[in-house]
Amino acid sequence: MTTLSAHRIGIFWQRLSGLIDETAETFVRTSFSSVVRDNWDMAVGLMDSRGRQFVQSAKSVPSFIGTMPRTLEVMLARYPRETLVEGDVLISNDAYHGTGHLNDITMAMPVFDGARLIAFITTVFHSVDIGGAPSVEARDAWEEGLTIPVAKIVRAGLENEDVVAFLAANLRRFEETMGDIRAQFAACARAATRLKRILLDEGINDLDAVVGDILDRSEQSMRRAIEAVPDGIYRDAIDLDGFDDPLRIECAVHVAGNAITVDYAGSSAQIARPINSVMNYTVAYSHYALKCLFDPATPNNDGSFRPITVRAPPGTLVNPRRPAPVWARHLSGHYLPPVIFGALAQVLPERVVADCGSPLWNAYFHGTGRDGRPFVKMYFMNGGHGARRDADGAACLSFPSNVATVSVERFESSVPLMVKEKALLRDSGGAGRTRGGAGQRISIANASADPVTMTIRHERVRFAPRGLLGGGAGAPGRDLINDRVIPSKGRYVLAPGDTATFETPGGGGMGVADDGGSA
């Protein structure tokens, strides 16, 4: 059994973190899609032979980090460890055991040292096109595109022609998606070689044992942080715009000794619209919020989450039963960190953040490009960040997701659309002792000679981002076409010359202002 001192464990973990960051950079630099190359809507993780995650790329999307271990577990139920060989790569995008919607493709590559399985390198990336016609009007998951069941996309180093063929038959831009998939093959293969070199350099012949030690240390650190908070049940609830009717998420955080249970009992029932958050996604963002609050400085791994239990009644908005539609699952899942922060604000006032101008806003554009071929393009835009106890919120900063935004010049060069305006919305942040961050106004015109279809699914239009501890609410968002307000969830056709305008929400304020008011 390999044993390392605390100092050597730290060095080893840093070397592996650098390796996985390099793997992510290699993937991004060789990717074909803008959503990976520019938005970093992806993640790379390293797990031991037992499937325990202990390292991930620094720029990983938080939800992907949380869902990868469960996805690998399901993959290994289909292909047990003893059936895998060097050169295999597993793939799936099943929303209910993946990241919560079909657009995210998860892959896992086993790493062997001779005949011995020693680790898994896992990756997730967002594919803008996954076939079908994803829509805010979808009434079940089958309408939302192609489901890739757990399969081997590579068998012993050779691409599985059958899997590649059904991808080619269902995707509009197969070359782009397959280019991203193959970029991951190359990045992960190089990472596997370097991982074995690092283990050799460090004299480690039992990675699982070292991982176990790392996870135990992270668990102990998290438990100490939880113990410092008084036992009790802390509650909050948050209202969602929803579709025809508002929705609600209820949250009770039970702190008992060195463990926490998050319970979403009382939340709205699942609906036949694509806003439902599958349990895998719900657990991921609940874990993320608690990690941020209690123990943000220690390495992020499965050990940190051993003291945490997440419960949600089946058939609810945050734990739907298949085949509930889930394409826009972030429209409920992104509310989970704010409702947890709201519940714990009274006992952790120095650590919480007021509501941000999220769930993340984006728009899908579909039309004919300058080359005469169809295009599908997604444009991300952020609202204002919530205020902290000791600092104003940042303008236009994504939370809880952390995808980057693409430059105007790169966006305009890739599609026949023109950004006419991109400006901060003055006074859109909530007032308080510290102010919420500003939202932004973005106007995008159809510069094509043909119509362009636009699909949007935005929240915080009916219910603005809340302030905390006496702070004021941020400004709600708005969507417009040619200066006419439109519903925030829908599919629209932009005629040549039409302009769509998005006004993202401002962040909530924190605390009572010095003059005694919050506004």
Side-chain angles (χ1 to χ4, degrees):
M1 177 177 176
T2 303
T3 58
L4 299 178
S5 66
H7 176 68
R8 283 197 63 202
I9 285 178
I11 293 173
F12 177 62
W13 189 84
Q14 290 291 346
R15 290 193 70 182
L16 292 183
S17 295
L19 168 63
I20 295 305
D21 282 345
E22 181 183 344
T23 305
E25 289 279 358
T26 301
F27 171 38
V28 168
R29 290 176 180 273
T30 56
S31 65
F32 281 54
S33 69
S34 175
V35 74
V36 172
R37 185 177 60 250
D38 300 317
N39 301 124
W40 279 78
D41 199 350
M42 49 73 67
V44 179
L46 181 60
M47 305 187 192
D48 69 1
S49 70
R50 295 168 56 181
R52 299 178 298 181
Q53 182 170 247
F54 63 104
V55 180
Q56 62 281 314
S57 49
K59 294 183 180 179
S60 296
V61 175
S63 60
F64 294 172
I65 297 171
T67 60
M68 282 193 288
R70 169 59 181 158
T71 307
L72 180 60
E73 181 182 336
V74 174
M75 287 176 165
L76 295 178
R78 171 71 177 84
Y79 292 101
R81 291 169 177 81
E82 61 271 16
T83 68
L84 300 174
V85 299
E86 187 163 10
D88 284 348
V89 179
L90 306 178
I91 188 172
S92 181
N93 74 332
D94 189 307
Y96 277 80
H97 63 238
T99 71
H101 73 178
L102 297 175
N103 293 83
D104 298 327
I105 297 175
T106 301
M107 296 196 296
M109 188 185 76
V111 180
F112 288 84
D113 184 7
R116 183 168 60 98
L117 175 66
I118 61 171
F120 291 91
I121 299 174
T122 54
T123 62
V124 184
F125 79 100
H126 183 102
S127 175
V128 175
D129 174 35
I130 200 63
S135 165
V136 295
E137 299 298 329
R139 301 299 170 140
D140 61 47
W142 289 299
E143 295 185 45
E144 298 185 308
L146 171 70
T147 294
I148 306 170
V150 175
K152 287 187 179 182
I153 191 168
V154 180
R155 292 173 172 165
L158 298 177
E159 282 189 11
N160 184 337
E161 294 179 355
D162 293 334
V163 174
V164 174
F166 72 64
L167 290 174
N170 282 276
L171 303 184
R172 298 171 183 86
R173 298 300 295 264
F174 166 73
E175 298 87 353
E176 180 176 284
T177 300
M178 200 63 207
D180 282 351
I181 289 173
R182 287 171 174 150
Q184 290 178 89
F185 293 164
C188 292
R190 184 177 182 201
T193 300
R194 292 204 56 209
L195 171 62
K196 288 183 279 189
R197 177 59 186 266
I198 291 173
L199 294 176
L200 183 64
D201 288 348
E202 298 292 336
I204 295 172
N205 53 27
D206 188 348
L207 179 60
D208 288 2
V210 177
V211 170
D213 192 0
I214 292 173
L215 301 187
D216 288 345
R217 291 170 185 267
S218 294
E219 177 185 359
Q220 292 162 12
S221 180
M222 176 63 86
R223 290 194 185 278
R224 285 193 298 269
I226 294 171
E227 282 182 322
V229 174
D231 286 3
I233 301 176
Y234 304 98
R235 301 181 184 275
D236 192 26
I238 198 165
D239 293 312
L240 291 64
D241 295 352
F243 284 82
D244 301 323
D245 299 301
L247 301 167
R248 190 171 178 84
I249 295 175
E250 299 271 357
C251 176
V253 180
H254 300 247
V255 179
N258 62 5
I260 283 181
T261 298
V262 180
D263 195 332
Y264 294 108
S267 298
S268 295
Q270 68 184 59
I271 64 172
R273 295 292 185 89
I275 194 175
N276 304 286
S277 171
V278 304
M279 192 61 182
N280 210 22
Y281 195 76
T282 293
V283 170
Y285 267 122
S286 301
H287 282 175
Y288 173 63
L290 294 170
K291 176 66 172 168
C292 290
L293 285 177
F294 284 93
D295 193 26
T298 59
N300 186 57
N301 55 52
D302 283 358
S304 300
F305 308 122
R306 290 173 179 169
I308 301 170
T309 301
V310 180
R311 295 174 181 162
T316 57
L317 186 68
V318 290
N319 186 14
R321 293 187 175 94
R322 199 189 289 266
V326 293
W327 177 50
R329 85 290 195 223
H330 69 288
L331 297 188
S332 52
H334 281 190
Y335 281 103
L336 302 179
V339 79
I340 289 174
F341 288 177
L344 293 170
Q346 295 301 323
V347 290
L348 294 172
E350 73 284 359
R351 301 185 193 176
V352 296
V353 176
D355 284 10
C356 299
S358 55
L360 180 68
W361 279 37
N362 55 32
Y364 278 81
F365 297 99
H366 176 212
T368 302
R370 299 182 185 93
D371 59 0
R373 301 178 61 195
F375 73 85
V376 180
K377 191 74 170 180
M378 182 166 57
Y379 189 91
F380 288 108
M381 57 201 104
N382 300 318
H385 201 276
R388 294 163 286 171
R389 188 172 185 175
D390 59 353
D392 294 340
C396 311
L397 182 64
S398 177
F399 181 86
S401 179
N402 62 346
V403 295
T405 53
V406 65
S407 69
V408 169
E409 293 79 9
R410 182 164 291 187
F411 175 73
E412 290 178 333
S413 69
S414 63
V415 289
L417 300 168
M418 181 176 66
V419 179
K420 297 174 64 177
E421 179 185 14
K422 188 174 185 182
L424 295 179
L425 287 169
R426 186 175 180 180
D427 296 328
S428 57
R433 190 168 61 84
T434 52
R435 298 187 61 89
Q440 61 184 314
R441 178 184 174 94
I442 300 173
S443 294
I444 299 177
N446 177 9
S448 169
D450 300 309
V452 171
T453 300
M454 177 184 76
T455 300
I456 57 174
R457 58 229 172 115
H458 298 155
E459 278 277 322
R460 303 285 199 184
V461 173
R462 183 181 304 187
F463 298 106
R466 308 170 304 171
L468 273 184
L469 303 175
R478 289 199 311 169
D479 293 290
L480 309 93
I481 294 179
N482 297 334
D483 296 324
R484 176 178 57 86
V485 176
I486 58 174
S488 59
K489 298 179 180 69
R491 177 176 291 176
Y492 303 93
V493 175
L494 301 178
D498 281 353
T499 298
T501 298
F502 314 101
E503 295 181 354
T504 64
M510 176 77 77
V512 178
D514 292 339
D515 61 5
S518 62

